[in-house]
Amino acid sequence: MSPATIFNIHLVLGYVPWLLCFGAYIWPRLKLMDRVEAHRAIATLHSFRFFGLVFLLPGVVGPDLPAGFAVFAAYGDFATGLLAMLALLAARRPSIFWPLVVTFNLVGIADLVVDYYHGSVLHLPELAGQLGATYAIPILYVPLLMITHVTALYL
């Protein structure tokens, strides 16, 4: 099996266990929570997206990882993480909290969609080995991020 095929299988199947876990354990709890608390829980998860800057670290990613992918992925994650942190800091001020919640979720979704687009256009599946230590991010972390962004907008 080619590396591109394995990467694409990983991308698709990364959603399956998260959707199963989300449906069984996370969604039932989020539905019972106060709206602010549910959004704070989601923002807490997304506040760790500052870690996306790792796509810019030589030695962590391969030298042939397309800059067109790495730069957008890194700074989109960073911006989303900072916005999520600001939302958490503003949780006691609804007039600031809610616009930040909407903003970090829209920026986060846009970031992930643009990353999928850039990955496709730049043939990232064929270069999946260039992701190096960051390989787990699109496979394990991104599906949960997308699911929780959609959930946040639904709530």
Side-chain angles (χ1 to χ4, degrees), residues 51 54-55 59-62 128-138:
F51 186 71
V54 74
F55 285 112
V60 176
V61 296
Q130 293 299 313
L131 287 165
T134 68
Y135 185 91
I137 292 173

Side-chain angles (χ1 to χ4, degrees), residues 34 53 58 68 73 115 137:
D34 168 74
L53 287 174
D115 292 345
I137 292 173

Side-chain angles (χ1 to χ4, degrees), residues 21-154:
C21 177
F22 194 84
Y25 301 106
I26 300 168
W27 178 240
R29 286 181 175 76
L30 285 175
K31 285 193 312 187
L32 296 175
M33 295 171 85
D34 168 74
R35 273 185 56 215
V36 171
E37 291 305 309
H39 283 280
R40 283 180 65 200
I42 292 169
T44 299
L45 170 69
H46 288 271
S47 69
F48 287 93
R49 286 181 69 173
F50 64 87
F51 186 71
L53 287 174
V54 74
F55 285 112
L56 301 177
L57 288 177
V60 176
V61 296
D64 295 325
L65 183 66
F69 173 80
V71 170
F72 282 98
Y75 288 113
D77 275 349
F78 185 57
T80 302
L82 290 178
L83 288 166
M85 288 180 214
L86 289 172
L88 289 169
L89 290 170
R92 294 183 185 205
R93 302 190 89 164
S95 63
I96 300 170
F97 176 71
W98 291 113
L100 284 169
V101 165
V102 170
T103 302
F104 98 74
N105 280 292
L106 292 177
V107 168
I109 288 173
D111 169 52
L112 298 177
V113 169
V114 168
D115 292 345
Y116 278 125
Y117 171 76
H118 282 143
S120 174
V121 169
L122 298 170
H123 307 286
L124 189 62
E126 290 84 5
L127 301 169
Q130 293 299 313
L131 287 165
T134 68
Y135 185 91
I137 292 173
I139 305 306
L140 300 176
Y141 193 38
V142 167
L144 179 61
L145 297 176
M146 185 62 87
I147 291 165
T148 55
H149 278 311
V150 171
T151 299
L153 294 177
Y154 176 80

